[in-house]
Amino acid sequence: MKKRVWLVFYDESGVSLLPQVRRTYAPRGHTPTLRHRLNWKRAGMAAALGYHAADGGRGPRLCFHLKPGSYDTISLTEVLEQVKTIYAGEPVVLVRDGLAAHWSRSMQAWTAGQDWLTLERLPAYAPELNPVEGLWSAIWTHELANLAGVADAAECGIHRVCSNEQLPWSLLTRTGLTIHPETPKN
């Protein structure tokens, strides 16, 4: 019997509520401007993108969380509680970066009591190994480009990624990592 383990890549990102300007068109000699009435407020986004380690036929699962401000240990714990609910008690190997809040004493104390969760750390300075970084890129270059309203646009981007069954797999392929090695031929 194959072990039912999920390999879940996790990352969070901050985004300014000011619009991110991308290439656009304007009449010659008239520089386009985006007008907004926002201060330098930020929103935090967190995502956990999971792949079943034993059964490639099971589709990827995506957990997305959006909040005002930045993430700290308490809010990261809330996101992990949401991840626990999504994976319904199945064992999870969570792969994440070296953010200080991930490795704080209170986070270590919380994770020590979670029998469903095993933690792994990505190498330093290796964001290209995390498929969630590709997810952020996909959302920033489409839904969040030239836009001042972050929450709805980010959720639209998540729905776009989830509705395309190949896109989460392509995010993993982009990293060069393999979860389901081919069976050796005899």
Side-chain angles (χ1 to χ4, degrees), residues 86-106:
I86 288 174
Y87 290 96
E90 291 185 85
V92 168
V93 175
L94 188 72
V95 181
R96 55 193 181 164
D97 59 21
L99 181 70
H102 291 173
W103 306 100
S104 68
R105 288 183 181 160
S106 56

Side-chain angles (χ1 to χ4, degrees), residues 24 28 32 45 61 67 95 105 120 139 148 152 160 172:
T24 187
R28 181 173 286 162
M45 301 184 296
R61 291 184 184 172
K67 71 178 274 323
V95 181
R105 288 183 181 160
E120 293 294 334
I139 293 172
D152 292 337
R160 177 179 58 86
L172 179 65

Side-chain angles (χ1 to χ4, degrees), residues 39-104:
N39 293 328
W40 286 97
K41 295 182 181 177
R42 293 185 61 80
M45 301 184 296
L49 183 54
Y51 303 91
H52 199 275
D55 184 1
R58 294 180 74 176
R61 291 184 184 172
L62 178 61
C63 172
F64 177 73
H65 190 264
L66 182 68
K67 71 178 274 323
S70 301
Y71 282 93
D72 57 9
T73 302
I74 294 169
S75 54
L76 289 175
T77 303
E78 293 170 1
V79 174
L80 291 178
E81 286 288 351
Q82 186 178 355
V83 170
K84 180 179 181 178
T85 302
I86 288 174
Y87 290 96
E90 291 185 85
V92 168
V93 175
L94 188 72
V95 181
R96 55 193 181 164
D97 59 21
L99 181 70
H102 291 173
W103 306 100
S104 68

Side-chain angles (χ1 to χ4, degrees), residues 118-141:
T118 303
L119 301 177
E120 293 294 334
R121 184 175 180 168
L122 284 168
Y125 307 108
E128 68 277 2
L129 295 177
N130 192 342
V132 179
E133 295 288 350
L135 173 71
W136 298 142
S137 178
I139 293 172
W140 284 330
T141 57

